[in-house]
Amino acid sequence: RAAKLTVMDRPVLSPNETEQALLAMLDDGRRAQFLEHRDLDFCYDGGEGLGRFRTNFLSEQAGMDAVFRLIDTEVPLFEKLGLPKRVEQFTEYSQGMVLITGPKGSGKTTTLAAMVDLLNRTRTEHIIVIEDPIEFVHKNKKAHINQREVGTHTKSFGNAMRAALREAPDIIVVGEMRDLETTSLAISAAETGHLVLATLHTPDALRTIGRVLDVFPPKEQGQIRAMLSESLRGIVSQQLVPTVDGNSLELALEILVNTPAIGNMIREDRTFQLRGMMQTGRKLGMILLDDSLVRLVNEGRISKEEAFSRATEEEYVRKELGE
């Protein structure tokens, strides 16, 4: 469902009432953290009657505010998300790196949770999940899962990644590769026999590869390109696009599958040629975001204006839609 502001039939809370109510939800540690930094990101579990929420507290000119995003108590299944078979197949590798990317609010966490659940249902292996904060809670099925929350169970993503390499995991899930240390350790883990799933805030496959490389100093980028060309299994870039009526969201996807030819392009710094290679790789399940947007327009699910505003190459999308 598309997000829209709605006026509620409730009395307006004063700044003092709001602050007292919100601070009462925090334990001593989180309260001290909020009072020091004046913002706080965490998950609030209200139990069976209320539910679990991705929560942010903030201070602003009128006082204290909070945002609560309801998290489904059931981990989403692939079948319900409508994800292509190619995304599911990324969970079948025994080692390497799969990146789930997209802007904020594009459903990366949901896709990642579905992949973890599929691994949990199909593989008798040890999975370590590092998140900030924990959203979907996974119960052990075939696999054994350790979920670690940054700030609660570990100091940082980098700290948790270093520790994970000594904790005998088969699969490591990284909520966000946000710095040099985490990215370097994730690539190393993928190279040394682990399956690594991670997210990045990048809009498409080409810029995802660029972002990974740009984290490293220039003198190291040649080596990282070589490592990434071998360890990368695929990239799933996604966006949630409002429908024509504005009442729901449609998923637009870009999928890159790392073939020997694409690996050579990454190694030789010829990633500008990836777009053409992905267009010819449709039989392998590859798709460009622009082609996904064109399909949604042709099916009458999103408007041309939405497609143009989100396109990687607007001229290409306009041409495909006969504009």
Side-chain angles (χ1 to χ4, degrees):
R1 187 173 62 83
K4 290 184 178 179
L5 292 177
T6 305
V7 177
M8 299 180 69
D9 185 20
R10 296 284 190 275
V12 177
L13 295 172
S14 70
N16 188 50
E17 289 172 323
T18 302
E19 182 165 338
Q20 287 185 348
L22 293 176
L23 289 177
M25 296 171 59
L26 303 177
D27 58 29
D28 291 344
R30 281 184 173 148
R31 182 187 292 233
Q33 188 179 344
F34 174 75
L35 293 176
E36 179 183 354
H37 299 288
R38 306 310 296 180
D39 56 57
L40 182 67
D41 195 29
F42 67 105
C43 273
Y44 176 73
D45 195 336
E48 288 187 13
L50 192 57
R52 186 174 174 84
F53 298 84
R54 173 77 184 256
T55 308
N56 182 273
F57 283 6
L58 65 146
S59 291
E60 48 105 15
Q61 60 88 20
M64 185 174 171
D65 268 16
V67 177
F68 296 89
R69 291 161 52 196
L70 184 62
I71 301 169
D72 200 326
T73 54
E74 296 295 322
V75 179
L77 298 174
F78 262 93
E79 299 76 25
K80 289 187 177 180
L81 294 179
L83 291 164
K85 186 71 175 177
R86 180 66 254 188
V87 179
E88 186 176 326
Q89 290 169 346
F90 283 140
T91 66
E92 296 172 4
Y93 292 104
S94 60
Q95 68 181 80
M97 175 180 285
V98 179
L99 299 175
I100 311 299
T101 82
K104 281 277 189 183
S106 61
K108 297 187 299 295
T109 300
T110 303
T111 297
L112 196 63
M115 296 177 83
V116 171
D117 181 67
L118 183 61
L119 290 163
N120 192 14
R121 288 187 279 122
T122 57
R123 292 168 68 160
T124 53
E125 295 181 330
H126 182 201
I127 304 173
I128 294 179
V129 185
I130 308 161
E131 297 175 87
D132 182 20
I134 292 172
E135 295 195 27
F136 293 98
V137 176
H138 296 273
K139 296 178 181 178
N140 293 337
K141 294 175 183 176
K142 278 192 172 182
H144 177 74
I145 297 184
N146 295 131
Q147 285 185 267
R148 307 193 70 198
E149 183 172 278
V150 173
T152 304
H153 308 123
T154 184
K155 184 179 179 181
S156 65
F157 278 107
N159 192 74
M161 281 296 300
R162 279 197 313 277
L165 297 176
R166 299 188 295 272
E167 291 160 357
D170 301 289
I171 300 161
I172 304 172
V173 182
V174 187
E176 185 182 347
M177 293 202 313
R178 60 173 61 157
D179 55 37
L180 171 60
E181 182 182 29
T182 307
T183 305
S184 178
L185 289 167
I187 293 173
S188 295
E191 280 242 309
T192 55
H194 305 83
L195 177 61
V196 178
L197 309 179
T199 74
L200 279 170
H201 295 296
T202 45
D204 55 42
L206 177 57
R207 279 178 279 190
T208 296
I209 293 169
R211 176 71 60 83
V212 172
L213 293 171
D214 287 346
V215 168
F216 294 88
K219 64 180 181 179
E220 296 179 21
Q221 289 186 9
Q223 179 188 355
I224 297 302
R225 271 199 303 271
M227 293 172 70
L228 193 63
S229 70
E230 296 288 341
S231 62
L232 183 67
R233 294 292 172 260
I235 298 172
V236 180
S237 301
Q238 55 187 63
Q239 292 193 30
L240 290 173
V241 186
T243 53
V244 174
D245 61 13
N247 291 327
S248 60
L249 298 166
E250 289 287 347
L251 180 64
L253 282 175
E254 177 159 301
I255 299 174
L256 176 143
V257 180
N258 190 13
T259 63
I262 285 178
N264 284 335
M265 288 180 182
I266 295 171
R267 186 183 303 106
E268 296 169 7
D269 197 16
R270 293 187 288 117
T271 51
F272 61 89
Q273 296 177 325
L274 281 177
R275 188 177 174 89
M277 186 63 69
M278 291 172 69
Q279 284 179 309
T280 60
R282 289 173 181 163
K283 288 183 179 179
L284 297 173
M286 290 196 243
I287 185 172
L288 290 171
L289 178 68
D290 288 350
D291 288 330
S292 183
L293 292 167
V294 168
R295 178 179 58 81
L296 290 172
V297 172
N298 287 335
E299 292 174 358
R301 294 198 268 173
I302 68 171
S303 69
K304 288 183 178 181
E305 290 70 30
E306 286 287 356
F308 298 153
S309 69
R310 296 165 185 273
T312 303
E313 291 189 7
E314 185 179 338
E315 284 187 15
Y316 172 82
V317 173
R318 285 186 179 277
K319 182 181 177 183
E320 290 294 303
L321 293 173
E323 287 286 308

